[in-house]
């Protein structure tokens, strides 16, 4: 069983572009960001424990995504079949920063996580094209914009 082939409607339109399935899953991955930010504001400080739970969940999810974005670089290095110091070194930075973002107070940690999402995108813009992954940058920009904005809005609402 194959998930995508050149004859499957979920296949990328151009080589190196994300498939329709990848785009759909990426957009679905924004639901926790948008819902988390909205809930932080809807609950307000009057629902202390509930708001704390939502900010913790959002911080944890954002940290997981940031760590995943770092891991992609190890995958790119492995795919290349050679140790690329730039990919390997960068790949460990996002999980380390994400850990700090989770243990910080939410008003600060969510800002760190939102900023790290942007930093990951900026590094990806530089490194993806050499790995024939430049076609992912449009999707990455859109996902980064919504996810980081959600983190910043949630931080402002804590």
């Amino acid at each position: 069983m194959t998930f995508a082939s050149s004859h499957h409607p979920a296949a990328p339109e151009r080589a190196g572009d994300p498939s329709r399935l990848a785009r759909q899953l990426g957009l679905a991955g924004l639901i926790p960001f948008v819902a988390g930010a909205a809930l932080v504001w809807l609950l307000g400080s009057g629902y202390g424990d509930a708001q704390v739970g939502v900010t913790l969940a959002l911080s944890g999810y954002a940290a997981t995504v940031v760590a995943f974005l770092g891991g992609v670089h190890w995958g790119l290095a492995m795919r290349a079949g050679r140790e690329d110091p730039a990919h390997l070194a960068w790949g460990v930075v996002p999980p380390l920063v994400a850990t700090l973002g989770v243990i910080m107070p939410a008003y600060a940690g969510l800002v760190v996580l939102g900023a790290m999402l942007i930093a990951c995108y900026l590094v990806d813009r530089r490194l993806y094209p050499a790995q024939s992954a430049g076609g992912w940058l449009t999707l990455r920009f859109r996902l980064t914009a919504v996810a980081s904005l959600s983190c910043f809005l949630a931080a402002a609402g804590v």
Side-chain angles (χ1 to χ4, degrees):
M1 177 174 161
T2 60
F3 290 100
S5 69
S6 60
H7 304 292
H8 191 277
E13 295 163 12
R14 297 179 315 184
D17 284 354
S19 67
R20 185 178 70 199
L21 177 61
R23 290 190 306 269
Q24 290 170 337
L25 292 171
L27 291 172
L30 292 175
I31 294 169
F33 282 107
V34 173
L39 282 171
V40 165
W41 280 92
L42 290 172
L43 292 172
S45 59
Y47 293 90
D49 288 345
Q51 190 189 51
V52 168
V54 169
T55 57
L56 181 59
L58 178 56
S59 294
Y61 184 70
T64 301
V65 170
V66 167
F68 170 82
L69 293 172
V72 166
H73 288 272
W74 276 58
L76 289 171
M78 291 181 341
R79 183 180 78 172
R82 59 180 169 71
E83 289 189 4
D84 183 338
H87 285 288
L88 294 176
W90 172 251
V92 299
V93 172
L96 293 171
V97 174
T99 300
L100 292 175
V102 169
I103 63 173
M104 296 172 75
Y107 65 86
L110 285 165
V111 172
V112 168
L113 292 164
M116 195 61 197
L117 288 165
I118 293 169
C120 287
Y121 170 75
L122 293 174
V123 169
D124 292 351
R125 272 182 50 131
R126 195 173 132 262
L127 297 179
Y128 274 23
Q131 297 291 326
S132 301
W136 287 80
L137 290 171
T138 299
L139 176 63
R140 283 278 290 110
F141 175 80
R142 292 173 181 159
L143 298 175
T144 297
V146 174
S148 59
L149 180 61
S150 296
C151 288
F152 298 144
L153 289 173
V158 176

